[in-house]
Amino acid sequence: MAWITALVSAAGRGGGRVGQAAADLRGLLLGGPLPRWRTATESGGERGHVVVEPRTAWFVHGRAGDLGSVTVAYERQGAGEPVVLLHGLGSHRLAWDPVVPLITGQREVIAMDLPGFGQSPDLDPAVPRDLETAVAWLGSVFAALGVERPHVVGHSLGGLIALRLGQAGLARSVTALAPAGFWTDAERRYAYAVVSTARQWVRLLPQPALEALVRTAPARAVLTGTLYGRWEACPPHAVAAALRTLRESAGFEATLKAGRAPGLFTGDIPDVPVTIAWGTHDRLLPPRQAERVRAMIPNARLVPLPDCGHVPMLDAADLVARTILDATAAQQPPGAEQAPGSGEPPGPGL
């Protein structure tokens, strides 16, 4: 209860509709009836509501061997060499929104919703959630999109998948932001507890309460402090969209279960340029895990992301964009270890 108690306490300091949200939340937790919140139209405006414009997605189908078809929602824009963006657990392609405009002038960007997240339907029960199957159907999706060995950039879960795609020879280069799977048992249990608890409590929040809460700095700090290094810079609409996606992700539990498998990544990627970027303030997957990646992939280039948390796309979009552009450039020296855009070695933290 500590997490939600801190949230309600923080929200209660906001006053107005936020105070009402806190009162409603207390009522929900105590089993009492919730008042009906008026919509923006009924209240004569959009005050207290976080408005996220609907986005049009395209859909593409892939198939893993003789298993059923997999449907993936995606957006495609820009020009240049193709770069595929893969999000993390409980997230969606919109997590890359701050970064995409910064790279589309030089790259063709394909941002995807993994099955069971965002607008992509969940996997058919006949399709396994193991990484080998994911690599197989993603390879078929690349073929359907007409991109041969694109650059692949992934965050967290998406970073692990990106590394496996590179290992399978399906990626021209791999950029992994805080890739999952390089944890100890204790680190995995901690990360699972954090994301599972966040999802549990967000699912208890009525949508109007969630929208009002994210408009206050104290509540936003509680809701996002574990994920973001610069939570105060996170726009309320982005926080609301991220939490709503976490709540509604149909593939969350099954993907979490699959992540308990041992040996999620083993071996090396000797023939593909690999960049590992990690927020120096990542509280979910500590940056010390980067050295475990480097131990397996000796030629990987390590890039620290100063002051960034687990979701650096919202903390420092420009830094992440430069990292991606550097990593997907035509010539990338293997094994270089430096901050993006400079010739200086990185500071402590990785």
Side-chain angles (χ1 to χ4, degrees):
M1 291 293 291
W3 188 91
I4 204 66
T5 300
L7 174 58
V8 172
S9 174
R13 295 193 292 270
R17 291 178 68 86
V18 176
Q20 180 63 58
D24 288 350
L25 181 53
R26 291 189 187 98
L28 173 65
L29 295 175
L30 295 174
L34 282 171
R36 178 178 178 270
W37 279 48
R38 291 183 296 167
T39 66
T41 301
E42 292 170 331
S43 61
E46 295 178 347
R47 187 170 181 271
H49 288 255
V50 176
V51 178
V52 179
E53 293 297 327
R55 293 272 288 272
T56 300
W58 293 277
F59 293 87
V60 63
H61 304 287
R63 184 178 295 271
D66 57 354
L67 298 173
S69 177
V70 175
T71 302
V72 173
Y74 71 98
E75 292 181 65
R76 189 171 189 169
Q77 54 190 301
E81 292 197 0
V83 175
V84 171
L85 303 179
L86 303 177
H87 60 78
L89 176 70
S91 188
H92 54 172
R93 69 185 190 277
L94 305 189
W96 295 100
D97 275 5
V99 175
V100 169
L102 304 178
I103 62 176
T104 49
Q106 302 177 58
R107 304 287 186 270
E108 181 186 30
V109 178
I110 303 170
M112 297 182 177
D113 285 333
L114 294 171
F117 302 95
Q119 291 180 265
S120 293
D122 202 6
L123 291 174
D124 185 279
V127 180
R129 284 192 190 267
D130 59 87
L131 287 164
E132 291 79 5
T133 304
V135 167
W137 64 252
L138 271 167
S140 67
V141 164
F142 293 169
L145 291 172
V147 292
E148 182 179 354
R149 295 187 71 231
H151 301 281
V152 182
V153 180
H155 168 244
S156 197
L157 167 66
L160 173 60
I161 295 172
L163 290 169
R164 293 294 296 262
L165 286 165
Q167 203 170 43
L170 294 174
R172 192 172 312 179
S173 74
V174 172
T175 305
L177 311 181
F182 295 90
W183 41 48
T184 64
D185 286 343
E187 288 168 345
R188 182 192 61 77
R189 288 194 298 270
Y190 168 77
Y192 274 33
V194 169
V195 296
S196 297
T197 301
R199 174 173 159 89
Q200 176 185 358
W201 287 116
V202 168
R203 294 181 79 179
L204 288 175
L205 288 171
Q207 185 63 29
L210 175 62
E211 291 177 346
L213 286 167
V214 298
R215 287 192 176 276
T216 71
R220 208 154 61 246
V222 174
L223 287 164
T224 66
T226 303
L227 294 179
Y228 306 135
R230 303 170 184 170
W231 61 265
E232 68 280 0
C234 298
H237 74 272
V239 175
L243 293 174
R244 184 166 56 248
T245 301
L246 175 65
R247 181 182 63 199
E248 298 172 357
S249 296
F252 183 89
E253 281 82 9
T255 303
L256 210 63
K257 181 179 179 180
R260 294 189 176 95
L264 295 175
F265 185 91
T266 57
D268 190 7
I269 311 178
D271 302 321
V272 174
V274 175
T275 297
I276 305 297
W278 222 293
T280 60
H281 290 179
D282 192 331
R283 300 179 183 90
L284 189 67
L285 299 181
R288 60 178 174 267
Q289 295 180 14
E291 287 298 338
R292 299 172 195 157
V293 185
R294 181 65 172 271
M296 290 188 181
I297 311 171
N299 285 332
R301 172 175 174 254
L302 301 187
V303 177
L305 303 175
D307 302 324
C308 290
H310 185 63
V311 189
M313 298 88 78
L314 282 179
D315 283 329
D318 56 344
L319 181 58
V320 172
R322 290 202 307 273
T323 301
I324 293 172
L325 291 173
D326 287 350
T328 58
Q331 300 294 326
Q332 178 191 350
E337 186 173 351
Q338 62 182 47
S342 79
E344 298 298 324
L350 281 182

